[in-house]
Amino acid sequence: MAELDLQKIVRTARINLRRRMARRPIAFVMSGGGSQGSFEAGVLRFLYDDLGLRPSILVGSSVGAIIAAKLAEGDDEETGRRAIDEVEAIWRGLRTNADMWVMEPWLEKLRSQVTWASGLRGRTGAGAQSAESNQARVILRLLGELVRNPPQTDGTIDALRAALKARSLVSMEPIRELVERELRPERIAGSGMTLRVGAVSLESGELRYVDGDGRLYERDGTPLDRPRVRVQDAVLASASIPVMYPPTELGGEYYVDGGVREILPLALAFNQLGAGHIFAVVASKPGVEPWHDSGDRGLFELARRVSVDIAPDETLRKEIDPPRGWGRRVTVIVPEVDVHDSLTIDPELIAAAIDYGYMRAADVILELDDEEAQLSAEIARARMRLRAAKGPVPGLLQEELPDMGAVTADAAKERDTLRKLVEFRRASGAPMPPGSCGTDVEV
Protein backbone atom coordinates (compact mmCIF):
# COMPACT_ATOMS: atom_id res chain seq x y z
CA MET A 1 0.00 0.00 0.00
CA ALA A 2 1.37 3.43 -0.97
CA GLU A 3 2.52 5.65 1.89
CA LEU A 4 0.15 8.52 1.08
CA ASP A 5 -2.80 6.14 0.71
CA LEU A 6 -2.14 4.57 4.11
CA GLN A 7 -1.66 7.94 5.78
CA LYS A 8 -5.04 9.04 4.40
CA ILE A 9 -6.67 5.81 5.62
CA VAL A 10 -5.18 6.25 9.10
CA ARG A 11 -6.22 9.89 9.32
CA THR A 12 -9.77 9.15 8.16
CA ALA A 13 -10.09 6.18 10.50
CA ARG A 14 -8.99 8.28 13.48
CA ILE A 15 -11.51 11.02 12.68
CA ASN A 16 -14.37 8.56 12.22
CA LEU A 17 -13.54 6.64 15.38
CA ARG A 18 -13.28 9.76 17.55
CA ARG A 19 -16.58 10.99 16.18
CA ARG A 20 -18.21 7.62 16.89
CA MET A 21 -16.82 7.53 20.44
CA ALA A 22 -17.82 11.11 21.30
CA ARG A 23 -20.12 11.37 24.32
CA ARG A 24 -20.25 7.59 24.76
CA PRO A 25 -19.32 5.90 28.03
CA ILE A 26 -16.18 3.97 27.06
CA ALA A 27 -15.12 0.79 28.85
CA PHE A 28 -11.69 -0.80 28.85
CA VAL A 29 -11.73 -4.51 29.73
CA MET A 30 -8.46 -6.36 30.43
CA SER A 31 -7.88 -10.11 30.63
CA GLY A 32 -5.48 -12.02 32.84
CA GLY A 33 -2.02 -12.83 31.59
CA GLY A 34 0.69 -12.57 34.25
CA SER A 35 3.65 -10.62 32.94
CA GLN A 36 1.94 -10.58 29.52
CA GLY A 37 0.15 -7.52 30.86
CA SER A 38 2.98 -5.81 28.97
CA PHE A 39 1.02 -6.30 25.73
CA GLU A 40 -2.05 -4.76 27.37
CA ALA A 41 0.00 -1.74 28.47
CA GLY A 42 0.99 -1.13 24.84
CA VAL A 43 -2.60 -1.38 23.61
CA LEU A 44 -3.73 1.07 26.26
CA ARG A 45 -0.94 3.50 25.36
CA PHE A 46 -2.33 3.61 21.81
CA LEU A 47 -5.88 4.16 23.06
CA TYR A 48 -4.82 6.98 25.36
CA ASP A 49 -2.18 8.77 23.31
CA ASP A 50 -2.91 8.16 19.64
CA LEU A 51 -6.71 8.15 19.81
CA GLY A 52 -7.10 10.37 22.87
CA LEU A 53 -9.72 8.08 24.41
CA ARG A 54 -10.50 8.05 28.14
CA PRO A 55 -12.53 5.32 29.82
CA SER A 56 -15.30 5.85 32.32
CA ILE A 57 -15.60 2.10 33.03
CA LEU A 58 -12.70 -0.27 33.82
CA VAL A 59 -12.99 -4.02 34.31
CA GLY A 60 -10.15 -6.46 34.83
CA SER A 61 -9.23 -9.95 35.92
CA SER A 62 -5.89 -11.15 37.33
CA VAL A 63 -3.14 -8.88 35.98
CA GLY A 64 -5.91 -7.01 34.18
CA ALA A 65 -7.27 -6.12 37.62
CA ILE A 66 -3.97 -4.45 38.53
CA ILE A 67 -4.05 -2.43 35.32
CA ALA A 68 -7.74 -1.55 35.66
CA ALA A 69 -7.32 -0.37 39.25
CA LYS A 70 -4.32 1.76 38.35
CA LEU A 71 -6.11 3.38 35.42
CA ALA A 72 -9.13 3.98 37.66
CA GLU A 73 -7.02 6.46 39.65
CA GLY A 74 -7.48 8.81 36.71
CA ASP A 75 -5.25 11.70 35.66
CA ASP A 76 -4.30 14.79 37.64
CA GLU A 77 -4.31 17.91 35.46
CA GLU A 78 -2.68 20.05 38.14
CA THR A 79 0.38 17.86 38.58
CA GLY A 80 0.44 16.36 35.11
CA ARG A 81 0.29 12.84 36.53
CA ARG A 82 -1.16 10.39 33.99
CA ALA A 83 -2.44 6.95 34.87
CA ILE A 84 -1.30 5.40 31.58
CA ASP A 85 2.26 6.59 32.23
CA GLU A 86 2.20 4.91 35.63
CA VAL A 87 0.80 1.66 34.17
CA GLU A 88 3.58 1.50 31.61
CA ALA A 89 6.16 2.42 34.23
CA ILE A 90 5.11 -0.61 36.30
CA TRP A 91 5.97 -2.96 33.45
CA ARG A 92 9.13 -1.20 32.39
CA GLY A 93 10.22 -1.23 36.03
CA LEU A 94 10.18 -5.04 36.18
CA ARG A 95 13.77 -6.25 35.85
CA THR A 96 13.93 -9.87 37.02
CA ASN A 97 11.58 -12.75 37.80
CA ALA A 98 11.88 -11.89 41.50
CA ASP A 99 9.91 -8.70 40.80
CA MET A 100 6.82 -10.86 40.21
CA TRP A 101 7.43 -14.29 41.73
CA VAL A 102 9.81 -16.10 44.02
CA MET A 103 9.80 -19.89 44.24
CA GLU A 104 8.81 -21.55 47.46
CA PRO A 105 11.81 -23.42 48.95
CA TRP A 106 10.45 -26.88 48.12
CA LEU A 107 10.00 -25.97 44.44
CA GLU A 108 13.47 -24.46 44.26
CA LYS A 109 14.77 -27.72 45.67
CA LEU A 110 13.02 -29.72 42.96
CA ARG A 111 14.11 -27.37 40.23
CA SER A 112 17.76 -27.30 41.18
CA GLN A 113 18.43 -30.86 42.33
CA VAL A 114 16.11 -33.30 40.61
CA THR A 115 18.12 -35.12 37.96
CA TRP A 116 15.43 -34.83 35.27
CA ALA A 117 14.95 -31.05 35.62
CA SER A 118 17.33 -30.03 32.85
CA GLY A 119 15.56 -32.26 30.35
CA LEU A 120 12.15 -31.00 31.41
CA ARG A 121 13.11 -27.36 30.87
CA GLY A 122 13.55 -27.94 27.19
CA ARG A 123 10.26 -29.79 26.76
CA THR A 124 7.66 -27.73 28.59
CA GLY A 125 6.75 -25.51 25.64
CA ALA A 126 5.42 -22.00 26.13
CA GLY A 127 2.26 -22.53 24.09
CA ALA A 128 -0.31 -19.88 23.28
CA GLN A 129 -3.04 -20.42 25.84
CA SER A 130 -4.15 -18.14 28.65
CA ALA A 131 -1.77 -17.29 31.47
CA GLU A 132 -3.51 -19.69 33.81
CA SER A 133 -3.21 -22.64 31.41
CA ASN A 134 0.38 -21.72 30.56
CA GLN A 135 1.45 -21.90 34.20
CA ALA A 136 -0.64 -24.92 35.10
CA ARG A 137 0.74 -26.78 32.10
CA VAL A 138 4.26 -26.47 33.50
CA ILE A 139 3.09 -27.71 36.90
CA LEU A 140 1.25 -30.75 35.59
CA ARG A 141 4.11 -31.74 33.34
CA LEU A 142 6.41 -31.49 36.30
CA LEU A 143 4.16 -33.81 38.31
CA GLY A 144 3.90 -36.19 35.41
CA GLU A 145 7.66 -36.42 35.22
CA LEU A 146 7.75 -37.22 38.91
CA VAL A 147 5.41 -40.17 38.40
CA ARG A 148 7.40 -41.57 35.48
CA ASN A 149 10.80 -40.85 37.03
CA PRO A 150 10.58 -41.27 40.82
CA PRO A 151 13.14 -39.07 42.58
CA GLN A 152 16.25 -40.53 44.07
CA THR A 153 17.81 -39.74 47.44
CA ASP A 154 19.03 -36.27 46.50
CA GLY A 155 16.79 -34.34 48.87
CA THR A 156 13.80 -34.48 46.56
CA ILE A 157 11.71 -36.68 48.86
CA ASP A 158 11.90 -34.04 51.59
CA ALA A 159 10.92 -31.39 49.06
CA LEU A 160 7.91 -33.43 48.02
CA ARG A 161 6.80 -33.83 51.64
CA ALA A 162 6.95 -30.04 51.97
CA ALA A 163 4.99 -29.70 48.74
CA LEU A 164 2.10 -31.70 50.21
CA LYS A 165 1.64 -28.98 52.83
CA ALA A 166 2.25 -26.04 50.50
CA ARG A 167 -0.49 -23.67 49.32
CA SER A 168 1.32 -22.44 46.22
CA LEU A 169 4.32 -22.85 43.98
CA VAL A 170 5.58 -19.31 44.43
CA SER A 171 5.33 -16.55 46.98
CA MET A 172 2.91 -13.70 46.34
CA GLU A 173 5.01 -11.23 48.28
CA PRO A 174 6.48 -9.48 45.18
CA ILE A 175 2.97 -8.88 43.79
CA ARG A 176 1.71 -7.77 47.20
CA GLU A 177 4.54 -5.25 47.50
CA LEU A 178 3.85 -3.95 43.98
CA VAL A 179 0.12 -3.51 44.63
CA GLU A 180 0.63 -1.83 47.99
CA ARG A 181 3.23 0.49 46.51
CA GLU A 182 1.39 1.41 43.31
CA LEU A 183 -2.33 1.57 44.10
CA ARG A 184 -3.94 4.64 45.68
CA PRO A 185 -7.52 3.79 46.71
CA GLU A 186 -8.27 7.42 47.58
CA ARG A 187 -7.56 8.40 43.98
CA ILE A 188 -9.86 5.64 42.71
CA ALA A 189 -12.65 6.79 45.02
CA GLY A 190 -12.27 10.37 43.80
CA SER A 191 -11.86 9.74 40.07
CA GLY A 192 -15.53 9.13 39.30
CA MET A 193 -14.70 6.04 37.23
CA THR A 194 -16.53 2.75 37.54
CA LEU A 195 -14.17 -0.08 38.51
CA ARG A 196 -14.79 -3.82 38.75
CA VAL A 197 -12.22 -6.54 39.45
CA GLY A 198 -13.22 -10.20 39.37
CA ALA A 199 -12.30 -13.03 41.75
CA VAL A 200 -13.70 -16.49 42.49
CA SER A 201 -14.69 -17.58 45.99
CA LEU A 202 -13.31 -20.99 46.94
CA GLU A 203 -16.13 -21.47 49.45
CA SER A 204 -19.05 -20.77 47.12
CA GLY A 205 -17.28 -21.41 43.83
CA GLU A 206 -18.91 -18.24 42.45
CA LEU A 207 -17.39 -15.41 40.45
CA ARG A 208 -17.76 -12.10 42.25
CA TYR A 209 -16.72 -8.53 41.62
CA VAL A 210 -15.35 -5.75 43.80
CA ASP A 211 -15.81 -2.06 42.96
CA GLY A 212 -13.60 0.94 43.61
CA ASP A 213 -15.08 1.42 47.08
CA GLY A 214 -14.47 -2.18 48.14
CA ARG A 215 -18.07 -3.37 47.81
CA LEU A 216 -18.68 -6.97 46.77
CA TYR A 217 -21.17 -7.99 44.06
CA GLU A 218 -22.49 -11.26 42.75
CA ARG A 219 -21.93 -12.04 39.11
CA ASP A 220 -25.39 -10.75 38.18
CA GLY A 221 -24.70 -7.40 39.85
CA THR A 222 -26.53 -8.06 43.12
CA PRO A 223 -24.69 -6.35 46.02
CA LEU A 224 -23.47 -8.73 48.71
CA ASP A 225 -24.35 -7.93 52.31
CA ARG A 226 -20.72 -8.05 53.40
CA PRO A 227 -18.32 -5.52 54.92
CA ARG A 228 -16.28 -3.58 52.43
CA VAL A 229 -12.81 -4.88 51.64
CA ARG A 230 -9.58 -3.10 50.77
CA VAL A 231 -9.24 -2.48 47.04
CA GLN A 232 -5.63 -3.64 47.25
CA ASP A 233 -6.79 -6.97 48.70
CA ALA A 234 -9.44 -7.33 46.00
CA VAL A 235 -6.80 -6.83 43.31
CA LEU A 236 -4.54 -9.39 44.99
CA ALA A 237 -7.44 -11.85 45.13
CA SER A 238 -8.07 -11.35 41.43
CA ALA A 239 -4.38 -12.02 40.75
CA SER A 240 -4.19 -15.14 42.97
CA ILE A 241 -3.66 -17.66 40.17
CA PRO A 242 -4.53 -21.07 41.66
CA VAL A 243 -1.56 -23.28 42.50
CA MET A 244 0.85 -20.56 41.38
CA TYR A 245 -0.09 -18.15 44.19
CA PRO A 246 -1.91 -18.80 47.47
CA PRO A 247 -5.59 -17.77 47.83
CA THR A 248 -6.34 -14.30 49.23
CA GLU A 249 -8.82 -13.68 52.04
CA LEU A 250 -11.66 -11.23 51.48
CA GLY A 251 -14.30 -10.77 54.15
CA GLY A 252 -13.83 -14.18 55.73
CA GLU A 253 -13.69 -16.15 52.46
CA TYR A 254 -10.75 -17.17 50.32
CA TYR A 255 -10.58 -16.07 46.70
CA VAL A 256 -8.57 -16.96 43.63
CA ASP A 257 -8.08 -15.51 40.18
CA GLY A 258 -11.27 -14.42 38.42
CA GLY A 259 -9.89 -16.06 35.27
CA VAL A 260 -10.87 -19.43 36.73
CA ARG A 261 -14.42 -18.64 35.57
CA GLU A 262 -13.98 -15.66 33.26
CA ILE A 263 -10.65 -14.99 31.56
CA LEU A 264 -11.90 -11.88 29.75
CA PRO A 265 -14.60 -10.16 31.88
CA LEU A 266 -16.32 -8.57 28.91
CA ALA A 267 -19.91 -9.64 29.56
CA LEU A 268 -20.11 -7.56 32.75
CA ALA A 269 -19.24 -4.33 30.94
CA PHE A 270 -21.56 -5.23 28.07
CA ASN A 271 -24.62 -6.22 30.10
CA GLN A 272 -24.52 -4.28 33.37
CA LEU A 273 -22.31 -1.21 33.49
CA GLY A 274 -23.82 0.95 30.76
CA ALA A 275 -20.86 1.00 28.38
CA GLY A 276 -21.48 2.67 25.05
CA HIS A 277 -18.39 1.07 23.53
CA ILE A 278 -15.97 -1.51 24.92
CA PHE A 279 -12.33 -2.02 24.06
CA ALA A 280 -11.43 -5.50 25.28
CA VAL A 281 -7.75 -6.47 25.48
CA VAL A 282 -6.58 -10.09 25.59
CA ALA A 283 -3.05 -10.53 26.92
CA SER A 284 -2.16 -13.79 25.16
CA LYS A 285 -2.81 -15.43 21.83
CA PRO A 286 -5.66 -17.97 21.82
CA GLY A 287 -5.04 -21.45 20.49
CA VAL A 288 -3.94 -24.93 21.49
CA GLU A 289 -0.54 -26.35 20.65
CA PRO A 290 -1.01 -29.42 18.39
CA TRP A 291 -0.29 -32.93 19.63
CA HIS A 292 0.92 -35.74 17.36
CA ASP A 293 1.42 -38.65 19.76
CA SER A 294 -1.61 -38.74 22.08
CA GLY A 295 -1.54 -42.53 22.31
CA ASP A 296 1.76 -42.45 24.19
CA ARG A 297 0.69 -39.90 26.80
CA GLY A 298 0.18 -40.68 30.48
CA LEU A 299 -2.50 -39.75 33.01
CA PHE A 300 -1.11 -36.36 34.00
CA GLU A 301 -0.50 -35.26 30.44
CA LEU A 302 -4.01 -36.30 29.35
CA ALA A 303 -5.53 -34.47 32.32
CA ARG A 304 -3.46 -31.40 31.52
CA ARG A 305 -4.43 -31.51 27.85
CA VAL A 306 -8.16 -31.43 28.58
CA SER A 307 -8.37 -29.28 31.72
CA VAL A 308 -5.51 -26.85 31.15
CA ASP A 309 -5.13 -26.54 27.37
CA ILE A 310 -8.46 -27.26 25.69
CA ALA A 311 -11.08 -26.17 28.28
CA PRO A 312 -9.62 -22.71 29.06
CA ASP A 313 -9.00 -22.05 25.37
CA GLU A 314 -12.64 -22.84 24.61
CA THR A 315 -13.73 -20.46 27.39
CA LEU A 316 -11.57 -17.67 26.01
CA ARG A 317 -12.77 -18.24 22.45
CA LYS A 318 -16.42 -17.95 23.54
CA GLU A 319 -15.66 -14.80 25.52
CA ILE A 320 -13.90 -13.21 22.55
CA ASP A 321 -16.47 -14.31 20.00
CA PRO A 322 -19.78 -15.56 21.48
CA PRO A 323 -22.22 -17.39 19.19
CA ARG A 324 -24.24 -14.25 18.40
CA GLY A 325 -21.23 -11.94 18.40
CA TRP A 326 -20.75 -8.71 20.33
CA GLY A 327 -21.78 -6.32 17.58
CA ARG A 328 -20.32 -2.89 16.92
CA ARG A 329 -20.25 -2.01 20.63
CA VAL A 330 -17.14 -4.13 21.20
CA THR A 331 -13.63 -4.01 19.77
CA VAL A 332 -11.41 -6.92 20.80
CA ILE A 333 -7.62 -6.62 20.50
CA VAL A 334 -5.84 -9.99 20.54
CA PRO A 335 -2.14 -10.60 19.87
CA GLU A 336 -1.08 -12.78 16.96
CA VAL A 337 2.29 -13.34 18.66
CA ASP A 338 3.12 -14.07 22.29
CA VAL A 339 6.32 -12.08 22.73
CA HIS A 340 7.00 -13.78 26.05
CA ASP A 341 5.17 -16.16 28.33
CA SER A 342 3.21 -15.23 31.44
CA LEU A 343 6.07 -15.99 33.84
CA THR A 344 8.89 -14.22 32.01
CA ILE A 345 10.34 -10.99 33.33
CA ASP A 346 12.90 -9.76 30.82
CA PRO A 347 13.24 -6.00 30.15
CA GLU A 348 13.90 -6.38 26.41
CA LEU A 349 10.96 -8.71 25.86
CA ILE A 350 8.64 -6.59 27.98
CA ALA A 351 9.60 -3.52 25.94
CA ALA A 352 8.99 -5.49 22.74
CA ALA A 353 5.56 -6.62 23.96
CA ILE A 354 4.56 -3.06 24.89
CA ASP A 355 5.51 -1.81 21.43
CA TYR A 356 3.79 -4.74 19.76
CA GLY A 357 0.62 -4.01 21.75
CA TYR A 358 0.69 -0.43 20.43
CA MET A 359 1.08 -1.55 16.80
CA ARG A 360 -1.44 -4.36 17.13
CA ALA A 361 -4.02 -1.94 18.55
CA ALA A 362 -3.46 0.39 15.60
CA ASP A 363 -3.84 -2.45 13.11
CA VAL A 364 -7.09 -3.71 14.66
CA ILE A 365 -8.82 -0.49 15.67
CA LEU A 366 -7.97 1.49 12.53
CA GLU A 367 -8.73 -1.60 10.40
CA LEU A 368 -5.42 -1.58 8.56
CA ASP A 369 -4.75 -4.30 6.00
CA ASP A 370 -3.19 -7.70 6.57
CA GLU A 371 0.18 -6.50 5.33
CA GLU A 372 0.49 -4.08 8.25
CA ALA A 373 -0.62 -6.72 10.76
CA GLN A 374 1.99 -9.13 9.40
CA LEU A 375 4.65 -6.44 9.64
CA SER A 376 3.75 -5.69 13.26
CA ALA A 377 4.06 -9.39 14.10
CA GLU A 378 7.35 -9.74 12.26
CA ILE A 379 8.82 -6.76 14.12
CA ALA A 380 7.85 -8.48 17.36
CA ARG A 381 9.41 -11.76 16.23
CA ALA A 382 12.59 -9.97 15.14
CA ARG A 383 12.94 -8.51 18.63
CA MET A 384 12.38 -11.95 20.13
CA ARG A 385 15.11 -13.38 17.90
CA LEU A 386 17.43 -10.54 18.83
CA ARG A 387 16.92 -11.29 22.51
CA ALA A 388 17.31 -15.04 21.99
CA ALA A 389 20.58 -14.51 20.11
CA LYS A 390 22.02 -13.04 23.31
CA GLY A 391 21.40 -16.13 25.41
CA PRO A 392 18.74 -17.95 27.47
CA VAL A 393 15.73 -16.11 28.84
CA PRO A 394 15.18 -16.90 32.55
CA GLY A 395 11.86 -18.49 33.44
CA LEU A 396 10.31 -20.97 35.83
CA LEU A 397 11.74 -23.82 33.79
CA GLN A 398 13.64 -21.71 31.23
CA GLU A 399 11.05 -22.20 28.52
CA GLU A 400 11.94 -21.33 24.95
CA LEU A 401 10.39 -18.27 23.35
CA PRO A 402 7.34 -19.10 21.23
CA ASP A 403 6.81 -18.51 17.50
CA MET A 404 9.84 -16.33 16.76
CA GLY A 405 11.27 -17.97 13.65
CA ALA A 406 14.83 -19.13 13.12
CA VAL A 407 17.45 -17.47 15.30
CA THR A 408 20.87 -16.66 13.86
CA ALA A 409 23.93 -16.84 16.07
CA ASP A 410 24.75 -13.23 15.26
CA ALA A 411 22.82 -10.64 17.29
CA ALA A 412 24.08 -7.85 15.03
CA LYS A 413 22.39 -9.48 12.02
CA GLU A 414 19.15 -9.79 13.96
CA ARG A 415 19.30 -6.09 14.84
CA ASP A 416 19.90 -5.14 11.19
CA THR A 417 16.83 -7.14 10.22
CA LEU A 418 14.80 -5.38 12.91
CA ARG A 419 15.96 -1.95 11.73
CA LYS A 420 14.83 -2.67 8.18
CA LEU A 421 11.41 -3.82 9.35
CA VAL A 422 10.93 -0.77 11.58
CA GLU A 423 12.03 1.61 8.83
CA PHE A 424 9.60 -0.05 6.43
CA ARG A 425 6.65 0.38 8.79
CA ARG A 426 7.57 3.99 9.57
CA ALA A 427 7.80 4.73 5.85
CA SER A 428 4.38 3.20 5.25
CA GLY A 429 2.75 5.77 7.52
CA ALA A 430 1.27 3.22 9.92
CA PRO A 431 1.20 4.30 13.60
CA MET A 432 4.36 3.49 15.52
CA PRO A 433 5.01 3.49 19.26
CA PRO A 434 7.21 6.23 20.70
CA GLY A 435 10.91 5.45 20.95
CA SER A 436 13.29 3.35 18.90
CA CYS A 437 11.21 0.13 18.82
CA GLY A 438 14.27 -1.81 19.97
CA THR A 439 16.61 -0.74 17.19
CA ASP A 440 19.03 0.89 19.66
CA VAL A 441 19.44 -2.19 21.86
CA GLU A 442 23.09 -3.05 22.42
CA VAL A 443 24.34 -6.34 20.96
Side-chain angles (χ1 to χ4, degrees):
M1 184 181 294
E3 177 183 349
L4 291 178
D5 290 343
L6 182 57
Q7 288 178 345
K8 182 178 180 180
I9 289 171
V10 169
R11 183 167 57 252
T12 302
R14 283 192 185 112
I15 292 171
N16 291 341
L17 188 140
R18 288 167 181 159
R19 182 182 298 124
R20 190 156 56 93
M21 295 299 110
R23 294 181 296 279
R24 285 188 177 191
I26 296 174
F28 290 172
V29 175
M30 281 73 69
S31 79
S35 62
Q36 289 173 311
S38 53
F39 174 82
E40 295 179 310
V43 171
L44 293 163
R45 171 65 72 182
F46 178 79
L47 291 169
Y48 270 79
D49 287 2
D50 188 282
L51 299 180
L53 300 179
R54 294 295 182 271
S56 57
I57 300 162
L58 292 152
V59 185
S61 179
S62 196
V63 73
I66 297 175
I67 295 174
K70 190 63 184 174
L71 290 180
E73 294 180 8
D75 300 338
D76 189 330
E77 295 182 1
E78 292 185 5
T79 65
R81 179 186 60 78
R82 302 177 68 230
I84 184 59
D85 294 339
E86 295 182 339
V87 165
E88 185 171 330
I90 289 174
W91 260 258
R92 293 193 184 275
L94 299 175
R95 314 306 298 174
T96 69
N97 291 329
D99 290 331
M100 184 164 282
W101 53 267
V102 177
M103 288 187 190
E104 292 291 350
W106 66 269
L107 181 59
E108 182 61 43
K109 182 77 170 179
L110 288 178
R111 183 179 185 268
S112 63
Q113 293 197 14
V114 175
T115 54
W116 44 261
S118 60
L120 178 61
R121 289 172 193 146
R123 293 186 280 113
T124 51
Q129 294 78 23
S130 70
E132 291 74 18
S133 66
N134 190 327
Q135 294 153 351
R137 184 167 56 256
V138 172
I139 298 159
L140 287 174
R141 286 194 182 185
L142 186 150
L143 293 174
E145 289 289 329
L146 278 172
V147 171
R148 286 192 298 273
N149 300 284
Q152 306 303 315
T153 56
D154 59 358
T156 307
I157 295 294
D158 291 338
L160 288 173
R161 289 194 182 103
L164 293 175
K165 300 177 182 179
R167 303 188 74 203
S168 64
L169 285 171
V170 300
S171 168
M172 201 168 193
E173 197 56 33
I175 298 293
R176 185 180 304 279
E177 291 176 0
L178 184 150
V179 168
E180 294 290 350
R181 180 177 68 248
E182 295 292 341
L183 291 190
R184 299 288 185 272
E186 68 279 4
R187 292 177 181 171
I188 297 173
S191 71
M193 296 183 182
T194 298
L195 172 68
R196 295 289 189 277
V197 299
V200 174
S201 165
L202 289 178
E203 283 79 1
S204 70
E206 295 297 326
L207 173 65
R208 290 169 178 162
Y209 289 95
V210 182
D211 69 11
D213 292 317
R215 289 183 289 254
L216 283 148
Y217 297 83
E218 295 285 11
R219 191 173 191 167
D220 64 2
T222 304
L224 278 168
D225 186 17
R226 304 280 178 85
R228 295 188 187 187
V229 300
R230 297 173 72 240
V231 174
Q232 298 98 315
D233 292 337
V235 169
L236 285 171
S238 186
S240 296
I241 300 169
V243 183
M244 282 302 301
Y245 294 117
T248 296
E249 185 178 0
L250 292 178
E253 290 185 305
Y254 284 92
Y255 285 79
V256 294
D257 187 349
V260 170
R261 280 197 173 270
E262 194 173 48
I263 298 168
L264 179 68
L266 204 165
L268 177 72
F270 189 87
N271 294 323
Q272 298 181 32
L273 302 181
H277 193 88
I278 303 165
F279 292 92
V281 190
V282 181
S284 59
K285 172 185 171 185
V288 175
E289 192 177 346
W291 264 16
H292 304 291
D293 53 354
S294 299
D296 298 327
R297 307 280 180 160
L299 172 64
F300 280 102
E301 288 179 298
L302 293 174
R304 173 192 63 79
R305 183 62 169 174
V306 174
S307 63
V308 180
D309 288 354
I310 298 173
D313 184 67
E314 183 65 16
T315 297
L316 182 59
R317 286 171 185 260
K318 289 177 179 177
E319 290 169 352
I320 292 173
D321 188 18
R324 296 184 180 180
W326 291 112
R328 286 177 55 82
R329 282 180 56 201
V330 177
T331 302
V332 182
I333 302 99
V334 183
E336 294 186 334
V337 175
D338 284 328
V339 177
H340 58 82
D341 68 28
S342 57
L343 289 174
T344 296
I345 303 295
D346 181 271
E348 285 188 36
L349 292 176
I350 286 174
I354 291 172
D355 288 346
Y356 176 55
Y358 189 102
M359 292 184 287
R360 181 64 180 154
D363 297 339
V364 172
I365 296 170
L366 301 180
E367 299 179 342
L368 305 185
D369 61 23
D370 291 342
E371 181 181 348
E372 294 303 326
Q374 292 169 6
L375 185 55
S376 299
E378 192 49 45
I379 288 172
R381 291 190 182 99
R383 294 180 73 171
M384 294 160 66
R385 293 193 298 269
L386 176 58
R387 173 60 186 87
K390 296 179 178 183
V393 177
L396 180 59
L397 292 171
Q398 296 181 339
E399 297 175 282
E400 295 180 359
L401 296 174
D403 192 25
M404 60 181 170
V407 182
T408 71
D410 191 339
K413 288 183 180 179
E414 297 290 3
R415 187 173 65 179
D416 288 342
T417 298
L418 173 62
R419 284 174 171 168
K420 291 176 183 177
L421 292 168
V422 170
E423 288 171 3
F424 188 75
R425 181 166 170 109
R426 290 192 195 281
S428 75
M432 287 290 288
S436 67
C437 210
T439 57
D440 61 350
V441 172
E442 294 183 5
V443 297

